[in-house]
Amino acid sequence: MNKLEALKVFTAAVGKDDLVVCCNGMIGRELYTTQDRPSNFYMIGSMGLGLSIGLGLALAQPRKRIFVLDGDGNVLMGMNALASVGSERPANLVHVVLDNRSHASTGGQRTISGDVKLESVASAVGYRATHRADSVESFEASLRVALVQPGPVMVLALVDGGTVKGIGRVAETPQELASRFAAEARR
């Protein structure tokens, strides 16, 4: 499955009242280009911190479903956040990881996610459920199941490496992103 296919499946699973915290780098740019919305918060230059922000949001907004859209490089950079999520166990948190086994934003350097199964780490630290998908169909099925399970839940989708041609950059400033997202979070 390529990242655009995975993003299409992901955005179809996100409800209109759900909040999304998206990691920095190519995944954020790809989500922004394909399906920007005010209730998406894009990390700008803060690698590995999306899950920490998503955890805080899930604890502060327990009646809203919170998605964190991450890449394997971001998860590896912020492994401590997995343990914090496992400890706090927010029932409204769905952690989606697009694993291309590389740092796409910085030239495609290999990550160690092929050797370290991120969903196994999540399970070991206390996530209530984890899923691994290697096709569009299994990703759709995993997300359907995850949406009815109490969180925290991780859905890891194996995606092809590389970057999507022609994607733009997030146009709003970090302050503008924070303002529009905060307005949506308060609704």
Side-chain angles (χ1 to χ4, degrees), residues 2-187:
N2 66 46
K3 279 194 279 181
L4 285 181
E5 292 169 326
L7 286 172
K8 184 176 179 182
V9 170
F10 172 76
T11 57
V14 175
K16 80 175 191 57
D17 294 325
D18 296 339
L19 300 174
V20 176
V21 176
C22 188
C23 67
N24 75 320
M26 296 307 283
I27 292 171
R29 291 175 57 192
E30 290 157 352
L31 180 63
Y32 179 81
T33 300
T34 60
Q35 179 117 21
D36 180 40
R37 59 191 201 123
S39 54
N40 289 355
F41 182 77
Y42 304 95
M43 298 298 300
I44 306 292
S46 298
M47 187 171 183
L49 296 177
L51 184 57
S52 294
I53 290 174
L55 171 59
L57 190 57
L59 296 173
Q61 296 280 345
R63 290 187 178 94
K64 287 191 178 267
R65 183 167 38 216
I66 310 301
F67 282 93
V68 175
L69 180 61
D70 241 337
D72 53 304
N74 271 279
V75 173
L76 288 164
M77 180 67 80
M79 290 281 273
N80 59 320
L82 289 174
S84 295
V85 168
S87 174
E88 293 294 332
R89 302 186 92 200
N92 58 331
L93 182 67
V94 180
H95 189 190
V96 176
V97 180
L98 302 184
D99 184 355
N100 64 0
R101 296 156 306 285
S102 69
H103 294 286
S105 297
T106 60
Q109 299 88 353
R110 184 181 78 80
T111 68
I112 59 170
S113 65
D115 300 319
V116 176
K117 302 291 185 240
L118 299 176
E119 73 279 11
S120 296
V121 175
S123 182
V125 299
Y127 277 58
R128 287 189 174 102
T130 63
H131 306 270
R132 184 178 187 91
D134 61 1
S135 68
V136 168
E137 297 77 22
S138 63
F139 188 33
E140 289 171 331
S142 294
L143 281 171
R144 273 193 305 275
V145 172
L147 294 180
V148 298
Q149 293 177 305
V153 176
M154 177 185 280
V155 179
L156 184 136
L158 296 172
V159 296
D160 297 335
T163 58
V164 177
K165 303 273 187 259
I167 62 160
R169 293 193 174 272
V170 175
E172 291 81 3
T173 67
Q175 294 82 5
E176 291 168 335
L177 290 171
S179 292
R180 76 178 197 167
F181 186 78
E184 290 294 313
R186 286 190 292 268
R187 291 181 343 117

